[in-house]
Amino acid sequence: MKTNWRAAMAATVLSVALIGSSVPAMADDAPAAAVVSSASYSLNESMSAVVKSVSVNRTSGGLQIGALVGLTNNTGAMARVPDYEVRVKTTEGTVYTLQASSANARSLMAQESAELTYMVTVDRPTDAEISELSFVEVDEYTYPKTEKVLLNVPVTSSVWYGTKGELTDPSANIAWGETFSLPSSSSPLRYTPVEMSKQNDANGYSYLITVLADNQGTGTETVPDFRLDGKTADKTYAGKRVEQEPVTLAAGEKKYVHFSVTLDQDVSLQSLLLMTTEAFVPAGGASSAQGAAGAGAGSAAGGAAAGSAAGASAQTQPGFDVARLIIAAPTPSSPSNTAGDYTIGSPIAVDPLNHLIDSKTEVSLVELHMHENEGEGFKSVVAKFKISNKSDMTVATPAFQTELVGGDGSSYAGTRQSTTAAELMPNLGYVVSYSFMIPASESGETMTMKLLDNVTAAPYSSTIANFNVAVQKDTDDSLMSFYPFNVKLDDWTLSAFTNTAAGGQGLTYSYKLKLWLTVNRLEDVVVDQNFSKFKVELVDSAGRSLGSQTVPFTGDNKLVSGEQTIDLSNIKTDQVSSPITVKLYESIDTPNGEATRLVKTLVQP
């Protein structure tokens, strides 16, 4: 048999970003790690033992009982792993002998440690509560054979009962956001749950859980293979790790590990179970070996049951699951991370551990305006972000996504403009717009903006920044803001003309609007053809639109300083009700149609 190594594991769960998290990586101020340890016992003159876990699970083959035992060679020479029997005793007095995995270590080098697995499956209709685990030396060469109990270890509070989904050991139940290490592990890796968000994907409703792993050791460490399961009041949902490749951390390094749990609709998780699967390789003659294990049990009834059922299932059992920790899920009323207030135009505090926006790329929210969509039954919010390359080399434009959370907690996904520049030039800023479709009832006074990474943990999205912000209010002064453009209205005139329609059939109206403007543009900020436009609309006193025209800020026929003439011709109506009102808008094309923001109203004298 060969040594079955296992690195220490630790789990984490991400804090439910129901309102938004400041930056998840801000776990530097987390409390000291909770360490769940098991007592070590002297087994013989050279070996010490620790019972790391005991598991009782219901399977299709019967009641599965497994144990993970750690052995340490305390001598200065190689020592053989003794062939002691490992037995468990139930609270009712029944004893079951567990079969050793054929992959268990046969010997240990000086000062070496290894983990050994033992398991039996019993054809028992009722559950069993385990009170102790014992190591028994059996001398088969005497008649009758003699037995000597070398060690009894009480395990009442540390058994994992899969059917109950509970760990009774108080130290194995931790709060959300608490830093911890894997029980009975010497690994320097520490874990902190930092975010948990509910998402909807092709598989249904899922929770994405983000755990911060921190290597506090002096060497490179690999995050062990564990998963996070989700638990509700009456059901457990299997989870999985999102990263397919091993996560390795250098000394002092921090990285995120992501887990997903897919569950039924409208289900809220109460807790997360940090699960490991302990490998078990049955002996060659699985049926006879398991039968012997059952027959060796202290109870005739228990032994016979073990012998009959275990042989049929041993060859198909990959091992047994054990819950190491239970982590309380965050609640909407007490989110693990709260968003801070934000000032428009200031750099956004982005999680330094994110993989999308590097430290030399600065992101700012420069405008957040609510746009009306008359007759459509909803409003649009348009957010403009300035992305600045502060380095001396070209970098890729970060493809972050956005989400806007309303005052009632409802989340609205942002839609990025259809095309963007692939790269950012050094010392330049680039404006990217996102649009959000929101209910007409939303005031926009208390909102949370999130920046999301939907690449690292694809197909799920994780939060890399969030902050509280309110939509901006427009003031009816002469200066109009269309970041990075400022437009000042110096003067205007509106002239009306009547014309006889073709064939002498009625009259048509034409209007010529002259605007004297001063257009200023911020330096070193780039926009493209997807940028918003300047829109002019004429409305009569009855509220009827007489016509409109849009003027781009870039390209041909763009808005410029000086006199700008807007011609609106061939307006057919029986009667024009004066006075005429001129409305000036910012117009932006979104996937849901045109969205307009009224920036100024001019009324004809």
Side-chain angles (χ1 to χ4, degrees):
M1 292 179 285
K2 60 183 179 180
T3 302
N4 187 5
W5 290 100
R6 289 183 183 81
M9 305 184 191
T12 44
V13 221
L14 328 190
S15 97
V16 173
L18 297 171
I19 299 182
S21 59
S22 44
V23 177
M26 303 303 181
D28 293 334
D29 299 326
V35 179
V36 183
S37 59
S38 299
S40 179
Y41 298 86
S42 176
L43 185 59
N44 56 33
E45 64 278 3
S46 61
M47 297 278 181
S48 60
V50 57
V51 178
K52 295 196 170 186
S53 63
V54 177
S55 170
V56 179
N57 291 290
R58 177 66 60 182
T59 70
S60 58
L63 191 67
Q64 181 192 76
I65 304 172
L68 178 66
V69 174
L71 285 188
T72 299
N73 178 6
N74 299 311
T75 70
M78 179 184 291
R80 183 182 65 85
V81 173
D83 293 327
Y84 300 148
E85 285 190 358
V86 173
R87 300 175 181 176
V88 292
K89 184 178 181 180
T90 69
T91 55
E92 65 194 18
T94 304
V95 176
Y96 295 106
T97 300
L98 308 185
Q99 179 190 1
S101 171
S102 63
N104 285 351
R106 294 183 182 275
S107 61
L108 299 179
M109 301 293 288
Q111 303 300 315
E112 185 181 16
S113 297
E115 292 181 342
L116 314 177
T117 53
Y118 301 84
M119 191 179 76
V120 70
T121 303
V122 183
D123 186 8
R124 172 176 171 149
T126 60
D127 290 339
E129 293 188 7
I130 308 300
S131 60
E132 66 180 30
L133 181 144
S134 59
F135 295 84
V136 181
E137 183 178 23
V138 179
D139 189 348
E140 298 282 355
Y141 300 101
T142 62
Y143 183 81
K145 67 179 180 181
T146 58
E147 297 182 355
K148 181 181 179 181
V149 177
L150 301 176
L151 180 63
N152 278 323
V153 180
V155 294
T156 303
S157 63
S158 58
V159 180
W160 163 247
Y161 295 98
T163 55
K164 298 178 181 179
E166 297 177 354
L167 282 172
T168 57
D169 185 357
S171 63
N173 291 261
I174 65 173
W176 178 261
E178 183 178 354
T179 301
F180 60 88
S181 62
L182 187 70
S184 304
S185 169
S186 59
S187 169
L189 292 177
R190 299 293 180 264
Y191 305 86
T192 307
V194 293
E195 184 186 14
M196 186 169 80
S197 59
K198 192 173 183 180
Q199 304 182 20
N200 188 8
D201 58 23
N203 297 320
Y205 288 88
S206 298
Y207 279 99
L208 177 70
I209 304 144
T210 302
V211 173
L212 176 66
D214 180 8
N215 183 2
Q216 299 183 3
T218 58
T220 300
E221 298 285 339
T222 299
V223 176
D225 186 17
F226 64 89
R227 71 177 192 270
L228 294 178
D229 288 355
K231 187 177 184 304
T232 63
D234 54 5
K235 190 175 180 180
T236 299
Y237 295 86
K240 63 180 180 181
R241 185 184 294 185
V242 176
E243 285 82 5
Q244 299 298 313
E245 299 297 325
V247 179
T248 302
L249 293 85
E253 188 178 11
K254 296 180 180 180
K255 286 185 179 179
Y256 290 122
V257 187
H258 301 89
F259 303 85
S260 66
V261 180
T262 300
L263 64 170
D264 301 329
Q265 187 175 358
D266 299 327
V267 171
S268 297
L269 294 181
Q270 292 184 344
S271 58
L272 294 157
L273 310 176
L274 189 150
M275 306 292 298
T276 63
T277 298
E278 306 306 334
F280 182 86
V281 180
S287 179
S288 61
Q290 285 278 29
S299 164
S308 62
S313 60
Q315 291 179 325
T316 61
Q317 288 292 344
F320 54 92
D321 285 344
V322 179
R324 301 302 191 93
L325 293 169
I326 297 181
I327 305 166
T331 61
S333 60
S334 57
S336 60
N337 297 299
T338 56
D341 293 334
Y342 177 77
T343 301
I344 295 289
S346 62
I348 296 171
V350 179
D351 184 348
L353 298 184
N354 86 91
H355 293 283
L356 284 185
I357 305 172
D358 63 38
S359 59
K360 295 295 182 68
T361 302
E362 185 179 276
V363 180
S364 304
L365 177 64
V366 291
E367 276 191 7
L368 184 69
H369 285 290
M370 188 175 291
H371 299 247
E372 298 293 336
N373 298 277
E374 292 187 11
E376 299 296 335
F378 65 90
K379 296 178 182 177
S380 293
V381 171
V382 175
K384 293 180 186 176
F385 291 90
K386 183 181 74 170
I387 307 174
S388 302
N389 180 3
K390 300 295 185 180
S391 70
D392 57 359
M393 60 185 297
T394 301
V395 298
T397 303
F400 60 86
Q401 295 301 316
T402 56
E403 185 175 274
L404 198 59
V405 182
D408 62 352
S410 299
S411 298
Y412 309 99
T415 301
R416 188 181 175 101
Q417 65 184 53
S418 56
T419 59
T420 59
E423 296 178 327
L424 300 175
M425 299 299 110
N427 302 309
L428 286 177
Y430 183 79
V431 177
V432 179
S433 297
Y434 293 77
S435 63
F436 306 83
M437 184 166 49
I438 65 172
S441 58
E442 176 62 61
S443 66
E445 295 179 359
T446 304
M447 309 195 86
T448 298
M449 177 70 72
K450 294 183 184 181
L451 271 57
L452 305 176
D453 174 357
N454 66 344
V455 176
T456 303
Y460 308 102
S461 298
S462 57
T463 304
I464 59 176
N466 67 353
F467 48 86
N468 294 326
V469 66
V471 296
Q472 295 170 280
K473 303 295 184 182
D474 289 302
T475 58
D476 193 21
D477 55 22
S478 60
L479 188 65
M480 297 170 284
S481 176
F482 307 84
Y483 188 92
F485 299 91
N486 286 319
V487 179
K488 182 177 181 295
L489 177 63
D490 299 314
D491 199 2
W492 69 282
T493 62
L494 178 65
S495 302
F497 304 91
T498 58
N499 305 288
T500 302
Q505 302 297 317
L507 298 176
T508 61
Y509 296 84
S510 298
Y511 289 88
K512 179 174 291 187
L513 174 66
K514 289 187 176 183
L515 302 172
W516 284 268
L517 305 172
T518 301
V519 180
N520 292 316
R521 176 175 179 165
L522 296 179
E523 296 294 333
D524 300 331
V525 180
V526 180
V527 299
D528 58 23
Q529 67 273 16
N530 294 290
F531 189 71
S532 56
K533 297 178 177 60
F534 182 78
K535 180 178 180 178
V536 178
E537 182 185 32
L538 298 187
V539 180
D540 68 9
S541 62
R544 295 173 295 190
S545 176
L546 303 178
S548 64
Q549 184 174 323
T550 58
V551 183
F553 284 95
T554 60
D556 297 335
N557 302 315
K558 66 181 179 180
L559 197 71
V560 296
S561 294
E563 181 180 320
Q564 189 89 35
T565 301
I566 308 293
D567 288 312
L568 297 172
S569 305
N570 298 321
I571 298 174
K572 296 181 180 181
T573 180
D574 294 335
Q575 181 179 3
V576 176
S577 178
S578 297
I580 302 300
T581 298
V582 179
K583 291 187 177 183
L584 306 181
Y585 297 93
E586 178 180 23
S587 170
I588 185 168
D589 293 327
T590 76
N592 301 307
E594 180 192 43
T596 58
R597 172 175 66 97
L598 181 64
V599 295
K600 195 168 188 61
T601 301
L602 308 173
V603 180
Q604 188 180 36

